[in-house]
């Protein structure tokens, strides 16, 4: 008996930014990690119809978490509209130096 199942999680990211949506595009359960990895290319192709940049992977979970359930949750298409918005910039970025923390006793605490 296999004690591990898998959840596929697919996320969408902004094409001009380094941010991804907080909500996954899809979460799908599989009885085994082999089944999940086997379905991954097809599901990624399907998700690319909704957003330009898609990432996905399979994560092993205890089979008791998905036993008797068929999980297939997809994102509300309205949430994907954020990816179409242009990236706003407030102006040029200002370089910041990383400084080591100053010990508290230096300030007489």
């Amino acid at each position: 008996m296999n004690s591990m199942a898998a959840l596929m999680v697919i996320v969408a990211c902004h094409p001009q930014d380094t941010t991804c949506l907080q909500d996954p595009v899809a979460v799908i359960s599989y009885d085994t990690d082999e089944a999940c990895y086997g379905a991954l290319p097809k599901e990624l192709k399907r998700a690319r119809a909704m957003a330009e940049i898609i990432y996905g992977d399979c994560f092993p979970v205890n089979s008791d978490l998905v036993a008797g359930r068929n999980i297939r949750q997809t994102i509300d298409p309205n949430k994907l509209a954020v990816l179409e918005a242009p990236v706003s910039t407030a102006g040029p970025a200002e370089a910041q130096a990383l400084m080591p923390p100053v010990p508290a006793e230096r300030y007489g605490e």
Side-chain angles (χ1 to χ4, degrees):
M1 182 175 143
N2 187 357
S3 63
M4 297 304 288
L7 288 176
M8 180 187 299
V9 179
I10 300 174
V11 296
C13 301
H14 197 284
Q16 301 169 348
D17 199 345
T18 58
T19 61
C20 297
L21 292 179
Q22 185 173 359
D23 295 335
V25 170
V27 176
I28 308 165
S29 65
Y30 293 89
D31 292 333
T32 65
D33 59 343
E34 292 89 5
C36 185
Y37 282 113
L40 186 59
K42 177 182 157 195
E43 293 296 337
L44 288 174
K45 184 176 180 180
R46 181 182 294 173
R48 282 193 183 96
M50 295 185 277
E52 187 176 333
I53 299 178
I54 294 289
Y55 298 102
D57 206 351
C58 296
F59 300 94
V61 296
N62 186 312
S63 61
D64 292 339
L65 294 174
V66 296
R69 298 184 201 175
N70 185 16
I71 299 170
R72 184 170 187 95
Q73 182 178 5
T74 56
I75 193 169
D76 175 0
N78 293 328
K79 291 184 178 181
L80 293 171
V82 182
L83 299 176
E84 302 297 324
V87 178
S88 63
T89 57
E94 187 176 316
Q96 300 289 320
L98 295 176
M99 303 296 289
V102 179
E105 61 266 13
R106 190 166 179 184
Y107 292 107
E109 291 181 9

